[in-house]
Amino acid sequence: MMRKKQFFIDFDGTIVNSIKAFCDTYNLIYREHENFIPADWEKVNVYNMKDQCSLIKDVNEIFTNPYFFWTLQFINENTYTVLKKLNKKYNVIICSIGVAKNIAFKANWLERKLPFIKEYILISNNGCKMNKSIINMKNSIFGDDIISNLKSSNAKEKFLFGQIYPWNEGWQGEHCLTWTNIEEKYL
């Protein structure tokens, strides 16, 4: 039997709308603070979201909060459907970086929301250095919303996912804005 080609896909900002969940969680936690101004996820323009979430000291306060994962939704309305189709054609592997508590919550979310995907590579990285070179992606496809993750990967085919932000502008390779674009290109 022929092995399926591997298709690595990032979690935050690619499968799920982490920016929205981050701002929603921030708004819940800080709403009683005297200097609170509600965060608008559609206006986030910096990677640590401090332009909208100015009261946070450490982003992991949000990324390790259970409410973040309770509100976390797929990034597009057809993400689930396209992932299900991709999983039939490819060996889909979700890869993500985070602190230990964050990755534990991610694993639980994935088990509940994407039970048909059985492989994850969850990298514990307290410094959250965006680099996935530790993962051998040779002869594979890799999609991520962070340029440094794409550049550090040895994947044969790479694509930047999602809208362009200051932290991911300048990518010269393939770009898939939506999951419909992924479906059109890879299925």
Side-chain angles (χ1 to χ4, degrees):
M1 180 165 71
M2 190 170 165
R3 271 186 67 193
K4 292 181 187 177
K5 186 173 189 174
Q6 292 181 318
F7 195 110
F8 291 89
I9 193 79
D10 177 50
F11 183 75
D12 293 297
T14 307
I15 291 175
V16 295
N17 190 339
S18 299
I19 294 173
K20 183 177 185 322
F22 191 99
C23 289
D24 290 348
T25 305
Y26 171 84
N27 289 338
L28 176 76
I29 293 171
Y30 285 97
R31 69 178 183 249
E32 301 297 325
H33 192 281
E34 67 179 87
N35 297 323
F36 174 72
I37 298 169
D40 181 347
W41 74 273
E42 292 179 316
K43 293 181 180 175
V44 166
N45 217 20
V46 295
Y47 187 69
N48 66 8
M49 286 158 281
K50 287 190 177 186
D51 59 337
Q52 287 297 304
C53 305
S54 60
L55 298 173
I56 61 167
K57 302 276 188 267
D58 180 4
V59 294
N60 286 317
E61 173 188 355
I62 305 291
F63 282 127
T64 59
N65 188 298
Y67 186 79
F68 174 86
F69 288 92
W70 185 76
T71 63
L72 193 60
Q73 300 294 317
F74 290 108
I75 200 155
N76 298 132
E77 65 280 348
N78 62 343
T79 305
Y80 178 90
T81 305
V82 176
L83 273 167
K84 195 145 180 113
K85 290 177 186 178
L86 283 172
N87 199 52
K88 289 180 180 171
K89 181 176 179 179
Y90 301 97
N91 178 28
V92 174
I93 303 167
I94 297 169
C95 55
S96 190
I97 297 171
V99 297
K101 189 174 179 182
N102 170 264
I103 20 186
F105 280 127
K106 282 179 187 175
N108 181 273
W109 192 96
L110 288 164
E111 286 175 4
R112 288 183 296 107
K113 302 289 187 169
L114 295 170
F116 55 89
I117 295 179
K118 302 297 183 193
E119 293 188 56
Y120 331 124
I121 299 173
L122 303 173
I123 303 166
S124 179
N125 181 345
N126 284 328
C128 249
K129 180 180 176 190
M130 291 299 159
N131 180 328
K132 293 183 178 171
S133 62
I134 192 170
I135 306 168
N136 183 4
M137 299 184 196
K138 186 178 178 185
N139 298 319
S140 299
I141 301 166
F142 176 40
D144 203 306
D145 66 314
I146 304 292
I147 291 176
S148 59
N149 287 336
L150 294 167
K151 286 182 175 179
S152 66
S153 166
N154 68 341
K156 184 176 183 177
E157 296 178 60
K158 306 174 193 183
F159 65 91
L160 180 69
F161 178 82
Q163 78 179 64
I164 302 299
Y165 291 98
W167 64 82
N168 67 8
E169 59 190 9
W171 176 249
Q172 299 300 312
E174 189 70 40
H175 179 218
C176 292
L177 183 61
T178 66
W179 278 85
T180 300
N181 297 141
I182 294 173
E183 183 176 29
E184 291 165 351
K185 179 156 179 62
Y186 295 102
L187 289 172

